Amino acid sequence: MNESRTADAGALVEFYRRMVLIRKFELTADQMYKRAKIGGYCHLNLGEEASVVGLMDALRPTDYLFTNYRDHGYALMRGMDTGKVMAELFGKTTGVSKGRGGSMHMFDTSTRMLGGYGIVGGQIPPATGAALALTYRGAPGPDAEAVMCQMGDGTTNIGAFHESLNLAAVWSLPIVYVVINNRLGMGTTVEKAAGEPELYKRGASYRIPGVRADGDDVLAVRQAVTDALDQARTQRRPALLELMSYRLRGHSVVDPARYRSAADVETAQEADPVPALRAQLIADGTLTEKQADAIETEMEEQVAAAVAFADAGPDPTPDQLFDYAYATPVPNAPTALPGERMVVLP
Amino acid sequence: MSAEADKTKLVTYRQALNDTLRSEMSRDEKVILLGEEIGIFEGSYKITAGLLSEFGPERVRDTPIAEEGFVGAAIGAAMLGMRPVVEIMTLNFSLIAIDQIVNHAAKIYGMFGGQQSVPLVIRMPGGGGQQLAATHSQNLEVWYAHVPGLKVVAPSTPADAKALLLAAIRDDDPVIFLENLALYNTKGEVPPGDTPGEIGRAAVVKEGTDLSVITYSRATTIAVEVARQMAQEGISVEVVDLRSLRPLDRPTICASVRKTGRAVVLEDDWLSYGIGAEISATLMEGAFDYLDAPVRRVAAAEVPLPYAKPLERRALPDAVDLRRVILELLDDTSFRS
Ligand SMILES: Cc1ncc(C[n+]2csc(CCOP(=O)(O)OP(=O)(O)O)c2C)c(N)n1
Ligand SMILES: [Mg+2]
């Protein structure tokens, strides 16, 4: 256990780079939203970078990931192209979901991220079923595939969460449920919404072991999720992991978060994992100020290139509206535009 | 194939479903069954009888009472290449799973840019007439037929049950497969082989020239019977069995009514906003100039279905209602004068 708790300095710098990429990407998304290049709902991972990076580092390319709508960082860390993720926000055909999904619905079969999902709790039953499918594929063992299902604190109150954990327990499924406890579901605190506000304990009803870890500590996150995934791989047992985090800004880009107390905002800012890791790396001599600045600049450039790529991509055209109506074409599928006749007779 | 297997057999709708599930599970090991009481109990309506002992508990998987959970799990399993066939005990209970069906199964292919299909079948019986009272007797198929991304089929005969179940299981999209409690014991000829039916096509199950009855599922059996009786009286009724509610075969419906000039829709669901409303609108567009009179609809009375037999019987459309409306429509258009 201890060996991965103490990562070598190189690994920690790499984690820092990734956290900075998410930070820059999200700040840019916020700007692009304000410039109306992005529409709809747009939820950012600001403040959750250490959790996202730690989780995604432990997840192998052969594993499957399901998340909620706060999914940009996960898509990037799963290995999706930064430009294609930005293009999805811009609604371009070059986006990871071809502009059909937007911010909440990043999807990529090749990196096995099987969706960001916008319905609270909606991802949990399908993720559980993905783990069920794995039990038909191969035997448990250290190299077995596993599923990670991410969600927010508020999501542990919905029925789908409880039905799914129960299924995972009775069917003994290789899945890790990860709760990002950023203390709020929109404006509602965990204490106000959850009968058991220590959310990792909610697995107990299903005899699913629960663990709580510091979501601002990338190494702690990586260690906790590696252990949980190992258990899923080798023993085919589900696990519940709660990561304590803070949402730095509002629920989505349009939320000024006036319901937060000044003290709460201050705590969140003090806990901000990105400057904290930077300070740590500089304090222990791993990075100089200059090197840390260079990482920031490099990531800013990567995000600027992503914006340029997204800008250059084509908008979908109305003739493509029915392109993904069905996977198996069938006769008489409706293709009328508003006001057009439905009945086409010989 | 043996001579026995080559023969067209007279079997029940239930048996046709059971045989088809068995043959598809033998053909493709990715086909798995999930549902409440489908294994050891052999299904609430015994559709899965014998399959647990033949295929084992992993392929015939009993689930806890958690419709949202197991329907959603079937979606996820389908995304990883399995071909789950879910049984929901009755259509009424599918409302617990409606988020997974409407917000997830129906959306995943299109919303993620065609990257991932969801080859899932959800079988469930609807229908009243069993004195099960209001919560257990509904025909809510139109809720699903309304939703792009889903396919909805409603076979009325054992042969169609087989053909459409084959099609549904082999289709890469989520298919709602609507059965009906009153059809399970009905018998019909089922051809051998494993040729799938075509989702999205209606069938003219009885040809006629004077009037078209457009119907589906259990109500088709009523329409065919009424058409047969009326033929004795010199009235030639054509019966169109929709078979597929989404997509809806509008050309076949309109072609029939262009020929007969008169249309009655017979449906088990409630009248307002029902299947009949959609058919009527379709005929306005595709057969208006050919209609001798407005389309008539024969549908269920709009009440939560009561338990007491006299009330239940009166609320559901039957052969007497259909016959009366056909005669009224013929009279309105001076057919017999
Ligand atoms: C079923 C459902 N109900 C309500 C909403 C609206 N909604 C979107 S996000 C959200 C809060 C979820 O909070 P949490 O699970 O803590 O996740 P976080 O946003 O903090 O990441 C709500 C209520 C929704 N999308 N789906
Ligand atoms: Mg939250």
Side-chain angles (χ1 to χ4, degrees), chain A residues 139-164:
Chain A
D143 298 327
E145 299 160 302
V147 176
M148 181 188 291
C149 178
Q150 175 270 17
M151 71 195 81
D153 50 275
T155 304
T156 64
N157 301 309
I158 207 163
F161 171 79
H162 295 274
E163 290 195 12
S164 298

Side-chain angles (χ1 to χ4, degrees), chain A residues 68-70 118-120 152-155 158 182 184-186 251:
Chain A
N68 67 4
Y69 44 82
R70 202 177 292 286
I119 302 287
V120 162
D153 50 275
T155 304
I158 207 163
N182 59 15
L184 287 166
M186 297 186 75
H251 169 67

Side-chain angles (χ1 to χ4, degrees), chain B residues 137-154:
Chain B
S137 304
Q138 299 173 96
N139 297 281
L140 300 171
E141 50 273 19
V142 73
W143 290 31
Y144 298 109
H146 188 59
V147 179
L150 297 178
K151 292 171 179 169
V152 183
V153 297

